[in-house]
Amino acid sequence: MVIEKSKIAILSTVINFDLYARSSQFFPKNIQKYVIDGRNGMHGINSLFYMMKKLKNKNIEWLIMTDEDVLFYDAEIVFDIIDKMQSESYTVCGIRDGGMITHRAYNPYVINTFFSIINFKELEEIWNKNEIVKNNYILNNEFDDNLTSLKGNYDKNNLYEPYYCFYFWLRRKNKKFFFLNAKMNEDYITNSVEYNDKIFLYHTWFARAYGNNEKHTKRINNIFDSLSFEENKTPHSIIFKDNTFFWIKKIKKNYQRIIRRFNIIIK
């Protein structure tokens, strides 16, 4: 099943643009690159909501979401994954946020957003922000995934990330998830991600530290050095930034602080 690349896009919420300038050269070719500027504190669930606001009605059918500290070893494999997702009616693809990566012992029923693929056309059809925010909970034995193959630690009742509600919402709408395999690298921080037993990307973590911390910069550069490079002819990134986000967030925090102090005085 051939998917038109004009209907596939890749989105990154970026806090380190120096790292993105290098890592994006290894992104899948000939698809539009979008960026959400996360230097104002926008990430996680807020980034997801902003994503829908900015990308809706752009004729995107499949959206790849990846952080700037993801380095693609064989980016073309993502198109094979999308082909599988389309033919087998998967809505979301990614790596479990528990049981797969040593330092992510959280909920195994949802994914970590460092890399994912989503059927964006389907998401547009069902999108409901009010429903999503009401799904930040989990019931005992609610999901029946077979977790016996997971070698790492996890917590089936964990609500560590505020963005979990988005994936719980999709699961409660009976949308299919395709979970990929991940393995720890020899540096014990980086993890690889596989499809059909082939590594196609590395997630290096600690994007903020790149260029600022010698240890992590050297470690990430070691992964860069292991990759083969070809000129990427993907169009330049289109960058979105919500200039009001930081101030609105700050005002809300100050308001909540005032309310808490007022309640203490009343008591």
XYZ file of all heavy atoms in Angstrom, residues 7-90:
699
model
N 1.400 13.609 2.210
C 0.394 13.513 3.267
C 0.992 13.017 4.588
O 0.267 12.698 5.521
C -0.746 12.604 2.816
C -1.514 13.175 1.627
C -2.679 12.287 1.230
C -3.439 12.909 0.050
N -4.594 12.085 -0.371
N 2.326 12.952 4.634
C 3.049 12.577 5.849
C 3.877 13.771 6.295
O 4.507 14.444 5.479
C 3.975 11.366 5.599
C 3.181 10.173 5.063
C 4.703 10.978 6.889
C 4.052 9.007 4.632
N 3.878 14.054 7.585
C 4.676 15.157 8.126
C 5.372 14.695 9.399
O 5.007 13.674 9.989
C 3.795 16.375 8.399
N 6.371 15.469 9.809
C 7.094 15.166 11.045
C 7.111 16.409 11.912
O 7.347 17.528 11.435
C 8.520 14.654 10.742
C 9.221 14.190 12.024
C 9.352 15.693 9.984
C 10.470 13.350 11.748
N 6.816 16.234 13.191
C 6.709 17.346 14.130
C 7.642 17.125 15.311
O 7.687 16.035 15.885
C 5.270 17.472 14.636
C 5.033 18.461 15.780
C 5.182 19.901 15.293
C 3.654 18.246 16.413
N 8.366 18.163 15.692
C 9.237 18.121 16.868
C 8.939 19.312 17.758
O 8.806 20.432 17.268
C 10.717 18.169 16.462
O 11.055 17.117 15.593
N 8.819 19.066 19.055
C 8.779 20.152 20.021
C 10.206 20.331 20.523
O 10.766 19.431 21.146
C 7.829 19.835 21.182
O 6.497 19.690 20.673
C 7.836 20.954 22.217
N 10.802 21.474 20.217
C 12.252 21.646 20.356
C 12.605 22.634 21.455
O 12.053 23.728 21.533
C 12.861 22.129 19.013
C 14.350 22.390 19.148
C 12.589 21.096 17.915
N 13.565 22.214 22.294
C 14.120 23.121 23.297
C 15.589 23.432 23.000
O 16.116 24.424 23.486
C 13.995 22.532 24.726
C 14.637 21.149 24.800
C 12.548 22.485 25.169
C 14.658 20.563 26.205
N 16.242 22.598 22.209
C 17.642 22.809 21.856
C 17.756 22.858 20.328
O 17.843 21.827 19.665
C 18.505 21.685 22.433
C 19.991 21.965 22.292
O 20.440 22.586 21.328
N 20.773 21.491 23.257
N 17.760 24.062 19.781
C 17.759 24.207 18.328
C 19.116 23.883 17.705
O 19.185 23.553 16.517
C 17.294 25.611 17.938
C 15.797 25.759 17.911
C 15.099 25.995 19.082
C 15.092 25.621 16.730
C 13.714 26.115 19.075
C 13.707 25.739 16.702
C 13.015 25.984 17.870
N 20.182 23.950 18.479
C 21.488 23.534 17.964
C 21.494 22.030 17.698
O 21.998 21.568 16.672
C 22.596 23.894 18.949
C 22.826 25.396 19.044
O 22.524 26.101 18.061
O 23.305 25.852 20.099
N 20.927 21.283 18.628
C 20.834 19.843 18.442
C 19.884 19.501 17.300
O 20.173 18.634 16.466
C 20.372 19.175 19.743
C 20.189 17.647 19.706
C 21.460 16.941 19.242
C 19.766 17.139 21.088
N 18.760 20.208 17.235
C 17.792 19.954 16.162
C 18.403 20.203 14.787
O 18.126 19.468 13.827
C 16.554 20.828 16.356
C 15.514 20.655 15.266
C 14.654 19.559 15.273
C 15.398 21.580 14.236
C 13.708 19.385 14.277
C 14.457 21.413 13.234
C 13.612 20.316 13.253
O 12.682 20.149 12.255
N 19.243 21.229 14.669
C 19.868 21.550 13.385
C 20.679 20.372 12.860
O 20.766 20.148 11.648
C 20.756 22.780 13.531
N 21.252 19.594 13.770
C 22.032 18.421 13.359
C 21.151 17.187 13.190
O 21.213 16.497 12.178
C 23.128 18.118 14.384
C 24.216 19.171 14.507
C 25.408 18.607 15.256
N 26.048 17.528 14.491
C 26.991 16.728 14.987
N 27.392 16.878 16.253
N 27.529 15.778 14.244
N 20.317 16.919 14.193
C 19.545 15.673 14.167
C 18.506 15.653 13.061
O 18.214 14.594 12.481
C 18.866 15.434 15.523
O 17.914 16.455 15.803
N 17.941 16.806 12.715
C 16.896 16.849 11.694
C 17.429 16.503 10.311
O 16.646 16.168 9.409
C 16.226 18.225 11.670
O 17.154 19.246 11.360
N 18.731 16.574 10.127
C 19.319 16.184 8.848
C 19.158 14.680 8.587
O 19.265 14.224 7.445
C 20.803 16.547 8.808
C 21.062 18.045 8.807
C 20.441 18.729 7.597
O 20.614 18.296 6.458
N 19.711 19.803 7.836
N 18.893 13.917 9.652
C 18.726 12.476 9.522
C 17.253 12.058 9.503
O 16.939 10.876 9.480
C 19.451 11.765 10.676
C 20.938 11.982 10.682
C 21.490 13.072 11.325
C 21.787 11.110 10.014
C 22.868 13.291 11.332
C 23.155 11.310 10.007
C 23.696 12.402 10.657
N 16.353 13.040 9.536
C 14.923 12.750 9.519
C 14.533 12.090 8.188
O 15.264 12.202 7.196
C 14.124 14.036 9.696
C 14.029 14.540 11.116
C 14.764 13.964 12.135
C 13.203 15.610 11.432
C 14.674 14.432 13.433
C 13.103 16.089 12.725
C 13.843 15.499 13.728
N 13.386 11.442 8.151
C 12.883 10.889 6.875
C 12.844 11.957 5.797
O 12.477 13.107 6.059
C 11.472 10.404 7.246
C 11.542 10.132 8.710
C 12.475 11.161 9.273
N 13.196 11.576 4.589
C 13.333 12.545 3.501
C 12.000 12.834 2.812
O 11.086 12.023 2.800
C 14.331 12.024 2.473
C 15.741 11.869 3.009
C 16.671 11.332 1.937
C 18.090 11.156 2.482
N 19.014 10.618 1.462
N 11.964 14.020 2.238
C 10.875 14.435 1.347
C 9.513 14.497 2.024
O 8.483 14.247 1.399
C 10.804 13.513 0.126
C 12.120 13.512 -0.636
O 12.712 14.557 -0.868
N 12.588 12.332 -1.010
N 9.507 14.813 3.325
C 8.258 15.089 4.022
C 8.424 16.428 4.746
O 9.536 16.825 5.089
C 7.839 13.986 5.013
C 8.893 13.794 6.119
C 7.585 12.674 4.288
C 8.469 12.823 7.200
N 7.320 17.115 4.967
C 7.376 18.433 5.594
C 7.748 18.319 7.069
O 7.216 17.479 7.799
C 6.041 19.152 5.458
C 6.020 20.539 6.074
C 7.043 21.473 5.437
O 6.991 21.717 4.238
N 7.976 21.977 6.237
N 8.665 19.183 7.507
C 9.069 19.237 8.899
C 8.410 20.437 9.584
O 8.474 21.549 9.082
C 10.593 19.367 9.007
C 11.352 18.135 8.537
C 12.844 18.262 8.823
C 13.511 19.305 7.956
N 15.000 19.278 8.105
N 7.793 20.156 10.726
C 7.205 21.213 11.548
C 7.897 21.213 12.913
O 8.322 20.155 13.411
C 5.705 20.990 11.755
C 4.873 21.133 10.500
C 4.442 20.013 9.794
C 4.490 22.387 10.038
C 3.667 20.143 8.648
C 3.713 22.535 8.897
C 3.308 21.404 8.207
O 2.544 21.541 7.073
N 7.972 22.391 13.514
C 8.594 22.540 14.830
C 7.687 23.382 15.713
O 7.152 24.404 15.280
C 9.973 23.235 14.722
C 10.472 23.685 16.090
C 10.995 22.310 14.072
N 7.522 22.938 16.959
C 6.931 23.771 18.000
C 8.082 24.240 18.874
O 8.841 23.425 19.407
C 5.893 23.004 18.837
C 4.669 22.666 17.985
C 5.471 23.816 20.061
C 3.638 21.806 18.687
N 8.238 25.542 18.999
C 9.298 26.107 19.821
C 8.927 25.904 21.291
O 8.003 26.534 21.807
C 9.447 27.601 19.508
C 10.654 28.232 20.177
O 11.104 27.717 21.214
O 11.140 29.263 19.668
N 9.670 25.020 21.950
C 9.367 24.683 23.336
C 10.209 25.414 24.355
O 10.171 25.090 25.549
N 10.949 26.420 23.917
C 11.841 27.131 24.841
C 11.082 27.992 25.851
O 11.672 28.460 26.831
C 12.823 27.994 24.044
C 13.851 27.166 23.269
C 14.734 28.039 22.403
N 13.970 28.687 21.335
C 14.529 29.442 20.384
N 15.843 29.621 20.382
N 13.778 29.999 19.448
N 9.804 28.184 25.612
C 8.981 28.947 26.570
C 8.281 28.041 27.577
O 7.388 28.479 28.299
C 7.943 29.781 25.819
C 7.016 28.933 24.952
O 7.149 27.703 24.900
N 6.092 29.569 24.255
N 8.694 26.773 27.615
C 8.114 25.837 28.581
C 7.018 24.965 28.011
O 6.486 24.101 28.716
N 6.677 25.154 26.745
C 5.635 24.329 26.153
C 6.167 22.934 25.842
O 7.161 22.771 25.142
C 5.084 24.960 24.873
C 4.000 24.108 24.214
S 3.254 24.878 22.774
C 2.194 26.098 23.543
N 5.498 21.926 26.368
C 5.844 20.531 26.079
C 4.676 19.654 26.538
O 3.672 20.148 27.027
C 7.139 20.121 26.806
C 7.030 20.145 28.306
N 7.180 21.302 29.040
C 6.746 19.161 29.197
C 7.029 21.023 30.329
N 6.752 19.737 30.442
N 4.819 18.356 26.336
C 3.826 17.410 26.838
C 2.428 17.655 26.317
O 2.213 17.872 25.117
N 1.459 17.656 27.225
C 0.065 17.768 26.820
C -0.215 19.124 26.181
O -1.012 19.230 25.242
C -0.883 17.530 28.034
C -2.341 17.407 27.573
C -0.699 18.601 29.094
C -2.610 16.214 26.688
N 0.459 20.174 26.645
C 0.254 21.497 26.040
C 0.736 21.518 24.596
O 0.125 22.154 23.734
C 0.989 22.563 26.856
C 0.375 22.770 28.225
O -0.818 22.983 28.348
N 1.191 22.700 29.249
N 1.818 20.821 24.339
C 2.336 20.720 22.981
C 1.370 19.953 22.088
O 1.156 20.310 20.921
C 3.710 20.039 22.989
O 4.238 19.956 21.684
N 0.759 18.907 22.626
C -0.223 18.133 21.857
C -1.428 18.993 21.480
O -1.901 18.948 20.340
C -0.677 16.919 22.661
C 0.314 15.751 22.763
C -0.148 14.754 23.814
C 0.465 15.058 21.411
N -1.915 19.786 22.418
C -3.057 20.641 22.127
C -2.689 21.711 21.095
O -3.477 22.018 20.189
C -3.561 21.307 23.406
C -4.215 20.357 24.381
C -4.189 20.609 25.748
C -4.851 19.204 23.934
C -4.791 19.733 26.644
C -5.454 18.328 24.820
C -5.424 18.592 26.171
N -1.503 22.266 21.229
C -1.048 23.293 20.287
C -0.826 22.684 18.899
O -1.095 23.322 17.876
C 0.232 23.918 20.817
C 0.666 25.180 20.093
C -0.181 26.274 19.974
C 1.944 25.269 19.544
C 0.228 27.434 19.327
C 2.360 26.420 18.898
C 1.501 27.500 18.794
O 1.905 28.647 18.150
N -0.333 21.458 18.882
C -0.148 20.722 17.627
C -1.447 20.660 16.835
O -1.470 20.954 15.628
C 0.325 19.293 17.925
C 0.242 18.315 16.764
S 0.391 16.595 17.309
C -1.290 16.266 17.875
N -2.523 20.306 17.502
C -3.795 20.185 16.800
C -4.279 21.542 16.297
O -4.820 21.657 15.189
C -4.835 19.554 17.724
C -6.167 19.288 17.057
S -6.040 18.244 15.565
C -5.413 16.721 16.261
N -4.035 22.569 17.079
C -4.439 23.915 16.686
C -3.720 24.361 15.417
O -4.320 24.976 14.524
C -4.149 24.881 17.833
C -4.480 26.334 17.527
C -4.142 27.223 18.723
C -4.419 28.687 18.421
N -4.075 29.561 19.585
N -2.432 24.040 15.309
C -1.622 24.537 14.197
C -1.643 23.625 12.967
O -1.461 24.110 11.836
C -0.168 24.737 14.645
C -0.002 25.670 15.838
C -0.616 27.035 15.597
C 0.133 27.872 14.595
N -0.362 29.253 14.515
N -1.849 22.324 13.152
C -1.755 21.393 12.023
C -3.106 20.951 11.468
O -3.165 20.320 10.410
C -0.942 20.155 12.423
C 0.514 20.399 12.815
C 1.215 19.070 13.072
C 1.258 21.206 11.754
N -4.171 21.278 12.153
C -5.495 20.882 11.680
C -5.769 21.489 10.301
O -5.396 22.621 10.016
C -6.556 21.331 12.684
C -7.932 20.740 12.432
C -8.884 21.116 13.563
C -10.250 20.476 13.345
N -11.200 20.819 14.435
N -6.395 20.699 9.458
C -6.786 21.120 8.100
C -5.601 21.386 7.170
O -5.711 22.153 6.217
C -7.683 22.369 8.158
C -8.974 22.126 8.919
O -9.572 21.054 8.811
N -9.397 23.114 9.694
N -4.468 20.733 7.432
C -3.316 20.854 6.543
C -3.152 19.618 5.654
O -2.094 19.398 5.063
C -2.038 21.096 7.356
C -1.968 22.489 7.967
C -0.601 22.769 8.533
C -0.518 24.188 9.088
N -0.640 25.218 8.042
N -4.191 18.790 5.575
C -4.187 17.604 4.715
C -3.094 16.613 5.098
O -2.503 15.946 4.240
C -4.036 18.002 3.244
C -4.465 16.903 2.291
O -5.371 16.117 2.595
N -3.819 16.819 1.148
N -2.819 16.507 6.406
C -1.869 15.526 6.920
C -2.631 14.254 7.288
O -3.609 14.307 8.023
C -1.134 16.067 8.157
C -0.322 17.312 7.791
C -0.233 14.993 8.770
C 0.253 18.038 8.984
N -2.188 13.136 6.778
C -2.823 11.862 7.122
C -2.032 11.109 8.188
O -2.626 10.440 9.036
C -2.978 11.000 5.868
C -3.982 11.580 4.870
C -4.335 10.599 3.766
O -3.860 9.456 3.790
O -5.094 11.010 2.859
N -0.704 11.219 8.137
C 0.137 10.530 9.117
C 1.148 11.520 9.670
O 1.815 12.228 8.924
C 0.859 9.344 8.482
C -0.095 8.261 8.090
C -0.698 8.103 6.883
C -0.575 7.212 8.933
N -1.536 7.016 6.917
C -1.473 6.442 8.159
C -0.340 6.828 10.252
C -2.127 5.321 8.667
C -0.986 5.715 10.762
C -1.867 4.982 9.972
N 1.253 11.560 10.994
C 2.173 12.488 11.637
C 3.187 11.705 12.463
O 2.836 10.912 13.335
C 1.413 13.457 12.547
C 2.270 14.525 13.227
C 2.843 15.495 12.191
C 1.456 15.290 14.277
N 4.463 11.958 12.167
C 5.567 11.408 12.958
C 5.932 12.452 13.994
O 6.161 13.613 13.652
C 6.781 11.100 12.072
C 6.400 10.150 10.928
C 7.924 10.514 12.901
C 7.407 10.140 9.797
N 5.983 12.066 15.246
C 6.355 12.990 16.315
C 7.678 12.515 16.908
O 7.791 11.355 17.333
C 5.257 13.050 17.379
C 3.917 13.511 16.834
S 2.547 13.281 17.997
C 3.026 14.407 19.302
N 8.678 13.406 16.914
C 9.991 12.992 17.400
C 10.720 14.151 18.051
O 10.618 15.299 17.600
C 10.838 12.413 16.240
O 12.054 11.889 16.740
C 11.124 13.456 15.176
N 11.435 13.865 19.125
C 12.213 14.894 19.806
C 13.514 15.162 19.056
O 13.967 14.343 18.244
C 12.538 14.450 21.231
C 11.310 14.441 22.137
O 10.269 14.985 21.722
O 11.404 13.873 23.243
N 14.151 16.293 19.375
C 15.390 16.643 18.686
C 16.563 15.771 19.105
O 17.603 15.761 18.439
C 15.731 18.118 18.897
C 16.203 18.489 20.299
C 15.074 18.947 21.191
O 13.958 18.394 21.074
O 15.303 19.847 22.019
N 16.428 15.016 20.201
C 17.511 14.121 20.610
C 17.310 12.702 20.075
O 17.965 11.755 20.525
C 17.682 14.105 22.128
C 16.388 13.826 22.884
O 15.364 13.507 22.239
O 16.392 13.936 24.119
N 16.416 12.545 19.110
C 16.265 11.285 18.377
C 17.127 11.346 17.122
O 17.009 12.276 16.323
C 14.793 11.031 17.997
C 14.681 9.899 16.978
C 13.979 10.697 19.245
N 18.005 10.360 16.970
C 18.898 10.294 15.816
C 18.522 9.066 14.986
O 18.621 7.929 15.457
C 20.360 10.201 16.260
C 20.839 11.242 17.279
C 22.344 11.110 17.509
C 20.486 12.647 16.845
N 18.068 9.292 13.763
C 17.630 8.200 12.912
C 18.829 7.487 12.279
O 19.689 8.126 11.661
C 16.706 8.713 11.806
C 15.306 8.992 12.269
C 14.937 10.272 12.673
C 14.363 7.986 12.310
C 13.646 10.538 13.104
C 13.067 8.233 12.746
C 12.707 9.515 13.140
N 18.847 6.192 12.445
C 19.865 5.350 11.829
C 19.421 4.913 10.441
O 20.203 4.870 9.505
C 20.121 4.138 12.724
C 21.091 3.128 12.164
C 22.455 3.394 12.123
C 20.636 1.897 11.675
C 23.349 2.466 11.613
C 21.518 0.969 11.165
C 22.867 1.257 11.133
O 23.739 0.333 10.625
N 18.140 4.584 10.308
C 17.554 4.215 9.012
C 16.145 4.790 8.971
O 15.166 4.108 9.272
C 17.541 2.699 8.840
C 17.084 2.269 7.447
O 16.644 3.148 6.676
O 17.154 1.069 7.135
N 16.046 6.054 8.597
C 14.776 6.778 8.669
C 13.725 6.226 7.721
O 12.520 6.394 7.956
C 15.004 8.261 8.394
N 14.136 5.573 6.648
C 13.161 5.072 5.672
C 12.245 4.016 6.272
O 11.148 3.774 5.756
C 13.892 4.502 4.458
C 14.628 5.539 3.628
C 13.694 6.594 3.056
O 12.799 6.220 2.273
O 13.853 7.784 3.394
N 12.669 3.403 7.356
C 11.856 2.362 7.993
C 10.530 2.922 8.501
O 9.532 2.195 8.597
C 12.653 1.662 9.117
C 13.713 0.736 8.493
C 11.742 0.862 10.054
C 14.574 0.003 9.488
N 10.489 4.222 8.814
C 9.229 4.778 9.309
C 8.111 4.628 8.272
O 6.939 4.466 8.645
C 9.357 6.264 9.721
C 10.364 6.436 10.833
C 9.697 7.145 8.543
N 8.474 4.629 6.997
C 7.446 4.479 5.966
C 6.913 3.040 5.927
O 5.733 2.817 5.633
C 7.993 4.894 4.606
C 8.455 6.323 4.564
C 9.784 6.628 4.315
C 7.573 7.362 4.807
C 10.219 7.945 4.292
C 7.991 8.684 4.789
C 9.326 8.974 4.535
N 7.773 2.078 6.256
C 7.322 0.690 6.376
C 6.364 0.550 7.548
O 5.362 -0.180 7.475
C 8.522 -0.251 6.577
C 9.461 -0.275 5.391
O 8.988 -0.022 4.253
O 10.662 -0.536 5.585
N 6.666 1.247 8.636
C 5.798 1.200 9.814
C 4.443 1.815 9.497
O 3.393 1.264 9.850
C 6.457 1.919 11.004
C 7.749 1.210 11.413
C 5.486 1.985 12.192
C 8.539 1.940 12.486
N 4.449 2.955 8.821
C 3.189 3.603 8.448
C 2.376 2.697 7.536
O 1.141 2.602 7.666
C 3.461 4.972 7.790
C 4.010 5.944 8.823
C 2.185 5.538 7.164
C 4.468 7.267 8.257
N 3.038 2.035 6.630
C 2.344 1.105 5.737
C 1.659 -0.002 6.533
O 0.506 -0.353 6.267
C 3.340 0.503 4.738
C 2.658 -0.368 3.700
O 1.845 0.158 2.928
O 2.938 -1.582 3.681
N 2.361 -0.532 7.538
C 1.778 -1.569 8.394
C 0.604 -1.005 9.188
O -0.452 -1.654 9.290
C 2.832 -2.118 9.363
C 2.300 -3.149 10.366
C 3.382 -3.598 11.323
C 2.837 -4.539 12.392
N 2.379 -5.832 11.837
N 0.789 0.182 9.729
C -0.276 0.790 10.519
C -1.528 1.008 9.678
O -2.652 0.774 10.143
C 0.205 2.124 11.106
C 1.283 1.985 12.169
S 1.860 3.598 12.780
C 0.395 4.167 13.675
N -1.339 1.460 8.453
C -2.489 1.705 7.582
C -3.181 0.413 7.202
O -4.422 0.326 7.256
C -2.039 2.447 6.328
C -3.195 2.764 5.383
C -2.822 3.807 4.357
O -2.917 5.000 4.605
N -2.372 3.366 3.204
N -2.426 -0.599 6.855
C -3.022 -1.855 6.400
C -3.679 -2.639 7.538
O -4.611 -3.414 7.293
C -1.966 -2.727 5.708
O -0.929 -3.073 6.599
N -3.211 -2.428 8.774
C -3.741 -3.178 9.914
C -4.531 -2.301 10.880
O -4.836 -2.711 11.997
C -2.598 -3.892 10.637
C -1.869 -4.893 9.751
C -0.765 -5.639 10.476
O -0.825 -5.740 11.727
O 0.161 -6.134 9.789
N -4.858 -1.097 10.452
C -5.750 -0.180 11.194
C -5.237 0.196 12.580
O -5.988 0.242 13.556
C -7.152 -0.801 11.317
O -7.707 -1.027 10.040
N -3.944 0.490 12.663
C -3.383 1.027 13.900
C -3.528 2.547 13.897
O -3.380 3.191 12.859
C -1.904 0.672 14.036
C -1.637 -0.771 14.420
C -1.216 -1.700 13.472
C -1.789 -1.185 15.746
C -0.956 -3.007 13.826
C -1.529 -2.507 16.106
C -1.120 -3.409 15.151
O -0.865 -4.711 15.498
